[in-house]
Amino acid sequence: MSRILPVGVAQLGPIARNESRQSVVERMLDLLAQADERGCQLLVYPELALTTFFPRWYIEEQAEVDAFFEHSMPNPDVQPLFDEAARRGIGFHLGYAELCEEDGHTHRYNTAILVSPAGEIIGKYRKIHLPGHADNRPEKAFQHLEKRYFEIGTYGFPVWRAFDGILGMCICNDRRWPETYRVMGLQGVEMVVLGYNTPAISPDSPEIPNLQLFHNHLSMQAGAYQNGCWVAAAAKAGWEEGVEHIGGSCIIAPTGQIVAQALTEADELISYHCDLDLGKHFTQTTFNFAAHRRIEHYGLITERTGAIPPAK
Ligand code: CDV
């Protein structure tokens, strides 16, 4: 019996600093209704989907920063999304800024959750590869202060049995690291869902212009192919508070091919009926890990963080 999972990716256009969560949730509900029309059972929303991408600003006042965080999930602003998705029987992935009390301390994470078609939180992931810097760099056209506002995720890269398959999550910059996919691949992941906010030009890592979209897809296509899994990725796109973000939201097959891709930099739904068994073609042949991996030669990957070239 084939396992076809109809998946939607809900790209969001820009969210202004003063746009309310209620307004954003309305936009998300509209995309949810479109996903329902297409028969989707799972809908993927972007990273930090409920607010503008606030890490671009150095903000002194902690209370002002905390206003961008969700203090519980679901909460009254997001409850309509949980209710409507459950009413329609659609599960979803949602990225948001999480503020929580654990071990008697306040913690802040860049978080994503996977919600079942019945509206229950199945899994939570906290971003591990936090890009940018923690110090104020006012000379930059805009900043990237994830290292200031978030702690490193605490869960590793777990996977969950859900949607009749094995699903995992990562967030934005995580998608550029092969380790992200491989750790999930070693748990038999069949689909990785993720959201991203990627500036078209980043002042911290200026690239040759026009390559951001290419590198976005290159990383995810490689991760999908090398681990025999699907990748469903939702961008927050377009000009947000003076910064242009790439779109390019996509669904990638275990073949490494992009099977659906957003055309705009606005709110847009893409979808595809994903055969969760397709990855077996790779995980039972070229990428049969048990047969072919040589872990006795991979020690440096966990022993060493930065590259150390041989002495001259
Ligand atoms: N939100 C992100 O993690 N963005 C990074 C940018 C800063 C390079 C990304 O990898 O897309």
Side-chain angles (χ1 to χ4, degrees), residues 1-9 38-44 162-167 190-193 224 228-233 250-255 257-261 270-280:
M1 213 173 80
S2 66
R3 290 178 300 138
I4 304 296
L5 178 59
V7 173
V9 166
R38 294 197 204 173
C40 295
Q41 291 171 12
L42 170 63
L43 186 55
V44 181
F163 301 93
D164 201 23
I166 302 174
L167 271 68
E190 293 172 326
M191 178 176 288
V192 175
V193 293
C229 64
W230 291 85
V231 175
C250 58
I251 300 173
I252 299 166
T255 58
Q257 292 165 293
I258 296 174
V259 295
Q261 184 176 330
I270 58 168
S271 62
Y272 196 79
H273 282 53
C274 303
D275 177 357
L276 294 179
D277 285 322
L278 186 59
K280 288 197 179 110

Side-chain angles (χ1 to χ4, degrees), residues 47 53 127 131 144 146 172-173 175-176 197-199 202:
E47 172 192 37
F53 190 79
K127 185 173 182 178
H144 197 102
E146 286 197 59
C172 196
N173 192 260
R175 76 195 187 287
R176 301 186 191 272
N197 284 261
T198 300
S202 175

